Amino acid sequence: MGAEEFDVVVVGGGIVGAGVALDAVSRGLKVALVEARDFASGTSSRSSKLIHGGLRYLEQYNFDLVREALTERGLLLQRIAPHLVKPVPFLFPMTHHVWERAYVGAGVALYDALSFSMGAKRGVPNHRHLTRRQALKVAPSLRKAAFTGAVQYWDAQVDDARYVMMVLRTAAGYGARIASRTQCVGFLREGERVTGVQVRDLESGDRLEIHAKQVVNATGVWTDDIQDLVGGRGQIHVKASKGVHLVVPRDRIHSASGIILRTEKSVLFVIPWGRHWIIGTTDTTWTLDKAHPAASSADIQYVLDHLNAVLNVPLTPDDVEGVYAGLRPLLSGESEETSKLSREHVVAHPVPGLVMIAGGKYTTYRVMAKDAVDAVAHGLDGRIAASCTDRVALAGGEGFEPLWNSRYRLAAQSKLHVARIEHLLRRYGTLIEDLLELVAGRPDLGKPLTGADDYLRAEIVYAATHEGARHLDDILSRRTRISIEIWDRGVGVVEEAAALAAPVLGWSVEQTQREIEYFTKQVEAERLSQLSQDDQEADARRRGAPDIVPTA
């Protein structure tokens, strides 16, 4: 990167930065992207993992935001990422009779109607009204006295970190240069104009300059920090809102559908997630460590209390196998309550050569990226092509449906169970051929990880060979979701995973031990933070684990 000039350098490797890189490179621009930690290690791996229009925004009369998000949902489901995004049903239990059914029914009907806008296909079924008896057949775990009836509607879900990885791989396939663990520490200037970035390799300590005609700040909750590097001359101010999610085993809640519940501030989702449920979220101001937002015992109890209000058999903290906390980057200045801050996005051009984008929601990342690159185009000489990402399938997406229909044949050829093939197809799409080739060459990689048998050993190797993973935390927390899906948070598989990754990444025996030690300390610190009574104590305990694993 230091040896050439780019049309645009993107700072930030979350979903928005990844989207900007793909949009720019697919318009023919020369693109580089730098990320201070691992890709998607912030907000973009800690969301509710939903692709949705935001049903509750209808109550705020924000019809344009909902319509835009639902249009994107249809594109992601059917054209851009059919291998990564799939429909998911939700029950909306009601506690009053006639008026609430009319009110909620009208809202969900409008939600469905907005998804048809611009002639787009929806990709999900229509909503339906259910009596209490019908709802209990769908979700037997609901307490009969807690509701009067329900509406069932459909949205979609995604593995958020995996999706970011696929966007970045797609951008790299078109020629973008992409680097993790590379922190922006300053800007290059020619007078008033920004002409590139100064970066530091956090592993080697090396510093270099990357020259570019335009720079895009897509750093989410770090937006204000990056603005400070240009003297605070920004037009965007972001406030961080913490959202905590719990992961519990699927057998703790008997339901064939997800569930959505109202809370006093927002909504609570119970989301099916393989052999688990994801339950969340909270919505509270966070002013502490942005890199590692911590969930306290009060956060965990808040989520459990709201869910237990409608369950036959209450859940306890002992039922929780995983916890994660993320920060939403909300545009500030409109309200002191984070639940009412804007989910819309804004693009600013504070100084020549610098574009900043913030706000928005995961579902509309592609629109945000398009708007940011449109702003970049104004600062570049010559004609720049229009965005085409609404027609670009992500890596693994092109030809997915025929391959999905051939999954039994793939199972017979590979000698893997069809359930394994389905798992791989939903994570890698047509790139499954890479995994099957690994297994064919090394049959031991076709075996599941001991203690995390939803994942094959081949997936650990592939994370290091093809997906930019450089450390155990990258592999166990984002390339797979082992750190939130099993009771020991990944400690039991860490040695096996390290042994698989070490030869690929060139780790010495000492480096391998450091990787194991650092991941184990991180899990320990997270567990301690989740026993804390408040944010300050949780933050202090989470900071007790080192962040960057030193390399020899």
Side-chain angles (χ1 to χ4, degrees):
M1 290 181 180
E4 49 194 311
E5 183 184 38
F6 294 88
D7 292 318
V8 57
V9 169
V10 183
V11 181
I15 186 56
V16 177
V20 171
L22 176 57
D23 190 280
V25 76
S26 63
R27 297 196 200 192
L29 299 178
K30 190 174 182 180
V31 178
L33 179 146
V34 292
E35 160 60 42
R37 297 187 295 151
D38 183 31
F39 308 118
S41 57
T43 305
S44 297
S45 61
R46 305 178 188 189
S47 72
S48 295
K49 313 196 189 317
L50 292 177
I51 299 296
H52 66 130
L55 184 61
R56 68 190 181 94
Y57 302 140
L58 292 178
E59 287 190 306
Q60 301 169 11
Y61 305 108
N62 204 334
F63 302 130
D64 288 342
L65 176 62
V66 175
R67 181 188 291 110
E68 179 180 81
L70 289 174
T71 300
E72 291 302 304
R73 186 190 70 181
L75 281 172
L76 298 182
L77 276 166
Q78 298 170 90
R79 185 183 304 168
I80 295 174
H83 54 316
L84 302 175
V85 182
K86 65 177 183 178
V88 60
F90 285 98
L91 273 184
F92 193 124
M94 294 173 288
T95 55
H96 298 84
H97 287 281
V98 179
W99 76 265
E100 189 177 17
R101 185 173 289 278
Y103 180 72
V104 173
V108 176
L110 176 59
Y111 193 67
D112 281 352
L114 288 171
S115 67
F116 279 114
S117 65
M118 308 295 287
K121 294 182 179 179
R122 298 177 56 240
V124 299
N126 274 316
H127 75 281
R128 60 179 184 143
H129 285 265
L130 302 176
T131 64
R132 180 162 59 185
R133 178 176 294 180
Q134 289 170 326
L136 285 170
K137 288 181 180 179
V138 175
S141 279
L142 289 176
R143 186 163 53 86
K144 185 177 179 180
F147 72 112
T148 59
V151 172
Q152 187 176 47
Y153 74 99
W154 292 72
D155 257 320
Q157 71 176 164
V158 69
D159 183 330
D160 47 9
R162 172 144 298 280
Y163 190 94
V164 173
M165 173 51 53
M166 288 302 196
V167 176
L168 288 168
R169 288 192 66 179
T170 309
Y174 287 115
R177 306 287 180 84
I178 295 166
S180 64
R181 298 301 197 292
T182 308
Q183 184 178 23
C184 174
V185 294
F187 289 100
L188 305 178
R189 306 286 284 269
E190 287 289 342
E192 185 72 1
R193 185 174 189 83
V194 169
T195 59
V197 292
Q198 299 170 329
V199 299
R200 181 173 66 238
D201 183 330
L202 295 182
E203 295 189 350
S204 69
D206 294 343
R207 298 173 77 101
L208 73 148
E209 297 180 346
I210 305 173
H211 295 269
K213 296 171 185 173
Q214 294 277 298
V215 176
V216 176
N217 173 14
T219 52
V221 294
W222 284 272
T223 296
D224 291 6
D225 301 63
I226 300 298
Q227 283 185 158
D228 288 342
L229 297 178
V230 285
R233 292 189 54 188
Q235 303 163 20
I236 301 176
H237 295 289
V238 170
K239 192 170 187 177
S241 167
K242 183 177 70 168
V244 171
H245 294 80
L246 313 182
V247 183
V248 302
R250 195 66 178 264
D251 62 6
R252 298 301 195 272
I253 303 171
H254 299 290
S255 177
S257 171
I259 301 167
I260 177 173
L261 304 170
R262 284 179 177 273
T263 69
E264 64 275 12
K265 287 186 177 181
S266 182
V267 292
L268 189 78
F269 286 102
V270 182
I271 306 160
W273 182 257
R275 295 199 287 179
H276 318 270
W277 295 100
I278 292 176
I279 307 162
T281 179
T282 60
D283 197 344
T284 56
T285 300
W286 180 264
T287 58
L288 303 169
D289 183 18
K290 294 185 183 115
H292 300 293
S296 67
S297 62
D299 293 324
I300 294 169
Q301 197 59 52
Y302 172 90
V303 174
L304 291 176
D305 287 346
H306 280 82
L307 177 60
N308 287 339
V310 300
L311 291 184
N312 266 326
V313 180
L315 299 181
T316 72
D318 291 338
D319 293 309
V320 177
E321 56 187 341
V323 180
Y324 64 92
L327 299 178
R328 302 179 194 87
L330 305 179
L331 299 176
S332 65
E334 297 160 28
S335 167
E336 287 306 307
E337 292 182 57
T338 58
S339 61
K340 293 181 180 177
L341 291 177
S342 177
R343 261 63 168 185
E344 295 188 70
H345 68 273
V346 64
V347 178
H349 222 317
V351 295
L354 177 63
V355 171
M356 313 193 87
I357 181 161
K361 56 203 296 274
Y362 198 108
T363 303
T364 57
Y365 83 91
R366 195 194 63 80
V367 178
M368 295 175 67
K370 171 187 174 296
D371 290 348
V373 181
D374 284 346
V376 164
H378 287 300
L380 294 176
D381 297 330
R383 181 178 174 82
I384 306 301
S387 176
C388 62
T389 51
D390 59 337
R391 301 181 298 280
V392 175
L394 296 189
E398 196 70 52
F400 169 70
E401 190 172 356
L403 200 60
W404 176 262
N405 294 339
S406 304
R407 59 194 183 279
Y408 289 95
R409 175 181 57 80
L410 287 175
Q413 289 175 348
S414 64
K415 297 183 173 55
L416 294 175
H417 192 279
V418 69
R420 297 286 183 193
I421 296 296
E422 290 176 349
H423 162 87
L424 294 175
L425 282 169
R426 280 294 180 194
R427 285 171 52 76
Y428 306 94
T430 58
L431 298 178
I432 189 176
E433 301 292 351
D434 294 341
L435 277 297
L436 297 182
E437 189 176 323
L438 275 177
V439 172
R442 281 184 56 186
D444 66 294
L445 296 181
K447 296 177 181 178
L449 283 169
T450 306
D453 60 2
D454 283 349
Y455 297 94
L456 297 181
R457 287 162 55 89
E459 295 182 75
I460 304 300
V461 174
Y462 191 76
T465 57
H466 288 69
E467 295 185 333
R470 295 190 51 78
H471 298 283
L472 277 181
D473 181 44
D474 303 347
I475 296 170
L476 299 179
S477 296
R478 286 170 293 279
R479 305 305 184 277
T480 70
R481 305 322 289 264
I482 288 170
S483 67
I484 61 170
E485 290 179 345
I486 58 177
W487 292 100
D488 66 11
R489 314 281 173 94
V491 172
V493 305
V494 69
E495 293 196 9
E496 185 178 1
L500 290 165
V504 178
L505 294 173
W507 292 343
S508 63
V509 173
E510 293 77 18
Q511 180 66 24
T512 303
Q513 283 306 120
R514 274 196 295 271
E515 291 286 339
I516 293 170
E517 178 187 347
Y518 273 59
F519 182 81
T520 304
K521 284 182 177 177
Q522 175 184 300
V523 170
E524 182 183 349
E526 286 178 351
R527 285 188 178 278
L528 282 173
S529 71
Q530 290 155 18
L531 298 175
S532 306
Q533 296 301 308
D534 55 38
D535 283 352
Q536 286 72 24
E537 185 183 359
D539 178 66
R541 288 179 168 180
R542 179 59 187 88
R543 285 173 182 258
D547 194 15
I548 299 291
V549 183
T551 53

